[in-house]
Amino acid sequence: METLALPPQATQVGLAVDVAAFAMHGGELQVLLVQRGELPHARDWALPGGFVHPGEDLHEAALRELRTETSVTLEPRHLEQFYTFGAPGRDPRGRIVSVAHLAVLAHGTVDVTGGGHTLGAGWFPAHRPPALAFDHAAILARALGRLRVRLDYAHLALEFLPDTFTLPELQRVHEAILDRPLDKRNFRKRLLAQGLLVPSGERRSGVGRPAQLYRRAKGAKAAAL
Amino acid sequence: METLALPPQATQVGLAVDVAAFAMHGGELQVLLVQRGELPHARDWALPGGFVHPGEDLHEAALRELRTETSVTLEPRHLEQFYTFGAPGRDPRGRIVSVAHLAVLAHGTVDVTGGGHTLGAGWFPAHRPPALAFDHAAILARALGRLRVRLDYAHLALEFLPDTFTLPELQRVHEAILDRPLDKRNFRKRLLAQGLLVPSGERRSGVGRPAQLYRRAKGAKAAAL
DNA sequence: CAGGGCAAGTGTCTCCATGACACGAACTGT
DNA sequence: ACAGTTCGTGTCATGGAGACACTTGCCCTG
C-alpha cells in the first residue's frame, strides 16, 4: 500500500477507551470504578480508561487500561466495544473520542487496588452507581442496556461464574442483570432445555439442601452481533 | 469547567465517519457508494465518509458527508452509529479511526451524482457489492447484520417506504433485508397485530388486484438499543 | 437422635406467537 | 369475455413462556 500524509482537513482528536467492567459480588451486579488522581475531575469516580497508544488496537487498549488502572490481572471473560462517545464538549481538555467497551470479569475478581494515575479502585452497585466524571453515567447506562440484550442472546451470564456453579447461582446472575426476580422452575426449564449445561458432582451450601453443580457444555460459544 | 491541555500520551488520530446508506429500488436492497477521486484507492468504490470537522458531532458529520459526497438532499429517515473501526493498519495514511453509521433513505431517493472529492455515486445491490476500498467490505457486512436486527425490533422497514404504502410493498422490504422469502399470510397477520398500521384509500398497481394502502399509526416510535 | 429450619428441586396447564398451507377476489389489457 | 396477474383471507399444529405449591435433603439445635 502507498504511504501518504493525512490530508489537512483530517481533524486530529484524542482517542481513548473506557471500560465498563462488571462482576457479581454478594448476589449483586457490580461495576468497577477508579478514583481519578488527576485533573479534570480529580478525586471523582470514573470508569477505567485512557488513551490508546500508537499502533495499538482498540481491544488491546481496553485490556491494558483495565489491567493497569485496576490491578485486575485476570483476562476478562468477555470484552466488546459497544458505543463511541464523541460529542465535542464531553471532555474539557479538548476533542477526545472514547470507544466504550463492555467487560465481564469472572467471579472471584475481588481485590482491586488501583494503579497508574488513580487513587484507588473499587466495586459499586451497577444499578445505583455514585456520581461519575465526564459523561460516564451515560456510558454506564448504555453498557447496562447492552448487557441485558446480550444475556439471552450470547449466554453471557455464564461468564460471570466459575467453571462449576449451581443453577440458583446462575439464576441470581440473570436476576441481577435484569434487576427483577425470575421464577425458579421456568428458569431451570429454559436453561436446561438449551443443552449448554452438564451436571457433575454435588456440593453443600452451608444451609439448606445441597445444589447440583453444573459445568458448561464443551461445544458452546455464541456469535457476536 | 477547567480548560486543560491534552496530556502528552494522548495519541492523536484522524477521526472519520463512514455511512452505509440503504434504500429500496426495484424490489432490491441497495447501498449507496461513491467512487473515490483521490489516493489512496482512487477510482475504487467506497462508502461515503470523511473526516469529522472540529467542533462537529459524529451524527452531524455523518449527515454532512452523506449530503456532500452524494448530492442526497433528503434527511435520512434513520441514522445511527453502529461500530467503530480503529485497527492500526486500516488506512495507509496513518492512524484513522472511523465511526461507522447506518442510514436509511426514503423511497424515491434515486438521483445521486457524486460531489466533493468523488468521481461519482451510485446504488449497488447491498448483498452483492463490488470490491470496496479500505475495510469497507467488513463495514458493509456489519451494517447489514445490524439492519437485520433492527428490523423486527425498531420497525425500521417503514422508513424505507413513502408515507403511504401497501402491505406487499412492506413485505418486499423485509424480504430484501432478510434476503429470504416470507409467507404472505403470516406476514400480514404479524404486522397488523402490532397495531402500527392504519388503512386509508385504495390504489391500483397497473396489473392485478389493487392493494389496500396503509399509513403508519401516529404514536409509533421505537427505542434505541 | 428427633425435630425444625432452610434452600433445592420438580410438573402441569394455559396462553400466545410462529409457521405451514390453498383458494377466491378484483382489476387490466387484449 | 377471457386470460393474466396480484391482492387478500383462515385454520391447525407446534413450541416457548409464564403462573403456580409441595416435597426432598441436609444442617443445626435442643
Side-chain angles (χ1 to χ4, degrees):
Chain A
M1 274 191 166
E2 315 93 325
T3 300
L4 297 161
L6 278 175
Q9 75 274 23
T11 313
Q12 296 284 102
V13 304
L15 178 64
V17 290
D18 287 306
V19 185
F22 297 100
M24 290 289 300
H25 297 143
E28 221 186 339
L29 183 68
Q30 311 262 4
V31 63
L32 183 54
L33 299 177
V34 299
Q35 193 174 23
R36 290 179 56 82
E38 298 180 329
L39 288 174
H41 291 288
R43 309 199 69 80
D44 285 355
W45 291 96
L47 297 173
F51 293 101
V52 177
H53 289 177
E56 187 181 44
D57 196 18
L58 299 175
H59 189 92
E60 292 167 18
L63 280 176
R64 179 178 50 72
E65 288 295 340
L66 193 57
R67 283 197 275 252
T68 60
E69 287 208 330
T70 65
S71 74
V72 167
T73 53
L74 294 173
E75 199 72 4
R77 297 291 207 82
H78 180 86
L79 179 64
E80 70 172 313
Q81 168 201 138
F82 70 89
Y83 201 78
T84 296
F85 294 81
R90 64 179 291 278
D91 192 308
R93 290 169 291 181
R95 189 72 189 266
I96 295 180
V97 171
S98 174
V99 181
H101 286 71
L102 165 66
V104 175
L105 298 180
H107 185 85
T109 312
V110 185
D111 48 322
V112 292
T113 62
H117 303 283
T118 70
L119 301 179
W123 293 102
F124 294 83
H127 294 287
R128 286 136 202 115
L132 295 178
F134 304 111
D135 53 358
H136 287 193
I139 297 178
L140 174 57
R142 200 176 267 262
L144 284 169
R146 186 63 148 244
L147 191 54
R148 238 173 279 130
V149 169
R150 281 283 189 266
L151 190 54
D152 321 4
Y153 179 19
H155 320 305
L156 253 194
L158 293 179
E159 312 300 350
F160 281 90
L161 293 171
D163 286 346
T164 162
F165 52 87
T166 67
L167 274 180
E169 284 167 358
L170 183 58
Q171 182 174 348
R172 267 173 237 124
V173 175
H174 281 250
E175 289 175 334
I177 292 174
L178 299 175
D179 207 15
R180 69 184 167 91
L182 298 173
D183 180 86
K184 203 197 321 185
R185 283 173 288 191
N186 295 334
F187 180 79
R188 300 172 77 89
K189 201 194 322 173
R190 189 159 57 86
L191 270 285
L192 292 175
Q194 282 168 233
L196 301 176
L197 272 34
V198 293
S200 54
E202 189 162 352
R203 120 172 160 201
R204 56 187 49 87
S205 54
V207 287
R209 174 175 171 176
Q212 176 64 250
L213 282 172
Y214 289 84
R215 195 179 301 278
R216 66 185 307 165
K218 284 198 272 289
K221 267 300 175 187
L225 178 53
Chain B
M1 274 190 166
E2 315 92 324
T3 300
L4 298 162
L6 278 175
Q9 74 274 23
T11 314
Q12 295 283 104
V13 304
L15 179 63
V17 290
D18 286 307
V19 185
F22 297 100
M24 290 289 300
H25 298 143
E28 221 186 338
L29 182 68
Q30 311 262 4
V31 63
L32 184 54
L33 299 177
V34 299
Q35 194 174 21
R36 290 180 57 83
E38 298 180 331
L39 288 175
H41 291 287
R43 307 199 70 82
D44 285 355
W45 291 96
L47 298 173
F51 293 102
V52 177
H53 289 177
E56 188 182 44
D57 196 19
L58 299 174
H59 189 92
E60 292 168 17
L63 280 176
R64 179 179 51 72
E65 288 295 341
L66 192 57
R67 283 198 275 254
T68 60
E69 286 208 331
T70 66
S71 73
V72 167
T73 52
L74 293 173
E75 199 70 7
R77 296 291 206 82
H78 180 86
L79 179 64
E80 68 171 317
Q81 167 199 139
F82 70 90
Y83 199 78
T84 297
F85 295 80
R90 63 179 292 276
D91 191 308
R93 291 168 290 182
R95 188 72 189 266
I96 295 180
V97 171
S98 174
V99 182
H101 287 70
L102 165 66
V104 174
L105 298 179
H107 185 83
T109 313
V110 185
D111 48 323
V112 290
T113 63
H117 305 282
T118 70
L119 301 177
W123 293 101
F124 293 83
H127 295 287
R128 285 132 203 121
L132 296 178
F134 304 111
D135 54 357
H136 287 193
I139 298 179
L140 175 56
R142 200 176 266 264
L144 285 169
R146 186 66 147 243
L147 191 54
R148 237 172 280 129
V149 169
R150 281 283 189 267
L151 191 54
D152 322 4
Y153 180 20
H155 318 306
L156 252 196
L158 294 177
E159 312 300 350
F160 281 89
L161 295 170
D163 287 346
T164 161
F165 53 89
T166 68
L167 275 180
E169 285 167 357
L170 183 58
Q171 181 174 348
R172 268 174 236 124
V173 175
H174 281 250
E175 289 174 333
I177 292 175
L178 298 175
D179 207 17
R180 68 184 167 92
L182 298 173
D183 180 86
K184 203 196 323 184
R185 285 172 288 192
N186 294 334
F187 180 79
R188 300 172 77 88
K189 201 195 320 174
R190 190 160 55 85
L191 269 284
L192 292 176
Q194 284 169 234
L196 300 176
L197 271 36
V198 293
S200 53
E202 189 162 350
R203 118 171 160 202
R204 56 187 48 86
S205 55
V207 289
R209 173 174 172 175
Q212 177 64 252
L213 283 171
Y214 289 84
R215 195 179 301 278
R216 66 185 307 165
K218 285 197 273 289
K221 268 298 175 188
L225 179 52

